[in-house]
Amino acid sequence: MPPMIETRAKSQNDVGTFAVRDIKKGAVILRECPFVADLQRIMIHFHTDPAPTGDPAIDAEIRSLKREVESAIHDRQCDLSRMAETTANGGDVADDRRPPPRARAALDKLNELAVRHEFDSRPESIQEKWLSLHDAFRVIPSGSESPVGISGLVSPKGRRINDTIGTSLGKTGTGKNSGRFSVRTARKDESGVITMEDLWIKRENLTTVYGTCRSNSFLSGMLFERACRINHSCRPNAVLMPVEKLIRYLEHKFGDRIPPDLMLAPGEPNEHAVLSDREIRAGEEISLNYLGSRDESRSTEARREILLQKYGFNCECEACERRECC
Ligand SMILES: [Zn+2]
């Protein structure tokens, strides 16, 4: 079966997935198992377990962050009840249900530690896939060592260090290296000898563990090698769903008379399918809705704000350009 899709550059910094032939509505475009499947469960474990890593220093940092969250929420509640008292004669109290900024910052740091702990436990082949994904945030931690992905470098000597993992040493450059980050790279020659080298690399050529995770994780925290390279649209032409759920849907719809072209082999545990949601023409970009299925329609501003906060991009899909609710 010839491939239905290809992933290629859309612009210098953007990759997209495109149909290489016409695709019928309901066709399975891609089947794939996530290479990381359970980030949400891991984050919850970090929030609830008093010593989730077993490393006394990191566990102490985690407990301190949890105290920070609790104290920020407590302070907010005190502020709100004080405001309610002073406006008891009918004034409005701002009803912002999100955690206060100080608590959000601590929660974010807690999630970052959980994701980093998970990354460190994975084999190098998985770490390379992880760091090869798009990073919309590129916040390089300062003052401490952290793994980074390296891509898009053009070396005048033809030395190839792209698509590999380096270690950011937590230092930024000055003078001619201003705006660059110190990264330790390892190069293996043909005889297997490894040479370490420290390079100054621009932010745009680096990806981070937490940034790639935030930019790409689907549903309950899954990372896919190929499906994560499908861009978002508020009016998508494809959907992502577990293969088992799709098979159950087809059985429900057709009983034991599933049309042969819709028959699916059983899935691996956690295997997902990207399914066309309408006819797609050759050359058209494949898109998914990162906002998930929704009961209510949202304004362009509301969708853009969520996408910018959560995934780090400003949506310029057709629906957003036409300012449509969806
Ligand atoms: Zn949009």
Side-chain angles (χ1 to χ4, degrees):
M1 189 81 163
M4 286 187 191
I5 53 169
E6 65 173 2
T7 300
R8 59 177 156 88
K10 276 174 81 176
S11 64
Q12 204 179 355
N13 280 320
D14 200 4
V15 164
T17 301
F18 295 84
V20 292
R21 55 186 167 90
D22 292 351
I23 298 172
K24 276 192 203 162
K25 182 178 177 179
V28 173
I29 298 172
L30 173 67
R31 285 177 69 149
E32 188 179 21
C33 292
F35 62 85
V36 174
D38 40 17
L39 284 168
Q40 201 172 60
R41 183 186 58 75
I42 293 156
M43 287 186 205
I44 291 169
H45 173 63
F46 259 59
H47 287 267
T48 52
D49 192 305
T53 71
D55 178 316
I58 301 176
D59 287 342
E61 188 182 355
I62 291 165
R63 284 194 295 275
S64 149
L65 286 166
K66 286 183 202 167
R67 283 195 298 274
E68 174 76 12
V69 175
E70 282 160 18
S71 118
I73 289 173
H74 174 77
D75 289 354
R76 158 68 73 86
Q77 279 163 348
C78 291
D79 283 349
L80 284 178
S81 46
R82 222 175 301 124
M83 282 159 72
E85 277 169 28
T86 53
T87 56
N89 56 355
D92 281 339
V93 175
D95 182 21
D96 185 353
R97 287 165 203 272
R98 288 180 303 176
R102 190 156 64 91
R104 288 211 297 273
L107 281 167
D108 198 44
K109 183 72 195 158
L110 205 52
N111 287 337
E112 183 173 357
L113 286 172
V115 167
R116 171 67 193 277
H117 183 68
E118 185 58 22
F119 178 88
D120 289 344
S121 74
R122 299 290 174 139
E124 199 177 326
S125 57
I126 297 291
Q127 293 182 340
E128 280 177 359
K129 280 183 193 175
W130 187 322
L131 285 173
S132 75
L133 295 174
H134 175 65
D135 182 349
F137 302 95
R138 297 176 198 270
V139 180
I140 319 291
S142 63
S144 62
E145 292 192 2
S146 56
V148 282
I150 304 167
S151 61
L153 279 187
V154 181
S155 158
K157 292 176 193 157
R159 189 162 94 72
R160 189 185 141 77
I161 57 163
N162 286 326
D163 307 322
T164 56
I165 298 180
T167 303
S168 163
L169 302 176
K171 290 185 289 186
T172 44
T174 53
K176 74 177 173 61
N177 289 322
S178 177
R180 293 173 186 247
F181 296 83
S182 179
V183 177
R184 181 154 297 163
T185 62
R187 179 169 47 117
K188 202 188 265 185
D189 69 14
E190 281 133 25
S191 52
V193 176
I194 294 174
T195 314
M196 308 296 280
E197 190 178 1
D198 291 353
L199 301 172
W200 291 101
I201 301 181
K202 287 183 193 166
R203 187 191 298 275
E204 67 218 45
N205 297 111
L206 297 172
T207 56
T208 67
V209 172
Y210 191 47
T212 46
C213 174
R214 281 186 67 197
S215 312
N216 293 282
S217 68
F218 275 116
L219 308 171
S220 58
M222 288 186 279
L223 295 177
F224 295 90
E225 199 175 359
R226 298 184 67 198
C228 282
R229 289 182 167 85
I230 299 177
N231 287 319
H232 164 86
S233 168
C234 300
R235 283 216 197 285
N237 55 20
V239 289
L240 177 79
M241 66 163 73
V243 169
E244 289 304 324
K245 187 174 169 187
L246 180 56
I247 290 173
R248 280 202 306 277
Y249 167 76
L250 291 171
E251 284 170 352
H252 173 75
K253 187 167 178 190
F254 298 104
D256 52 7
R257 291 194 195 153
I258 299 174
D261 60 336
L262 294 182
M263 289 275 251
L264 287 173
E268 306 266 327
N270 249 334
E271 188 174 4
H272 280 62
V274 175
L275 198 69
S276 59
D277 206 17
R278 60 172 169 78
E279 305 260 320
I280 301 174
R281 292 305 196 95
E284 212 181 312
E285 182 169 6
I286 310 293
S287 55
L288 292 168
N289 190 345
Y290 294 2
L291 297 169
S293 57
R294 307 171 318 280
D295 304 329
E296 50 174 327
S297 78
R298 294 189 179 102
S299 69
T300 298
E301 287 71 24
R303 295 193 310 270
R304 280 184 164 166
E305 190 185 334
I306 298 169
L307 290 163
L308 188 62
Q309 288 285 331
K310 200 156 179 260
Y311 294 100
F313 68 90
N314 185 47
C315 190
E316 290 174 346
C317 76
E318 276 180 26
C320 282
E321 295 291 290
R322 288 198 222 112
R323 324 288 296 171
E324 290 169 357
C325 277
C326 53

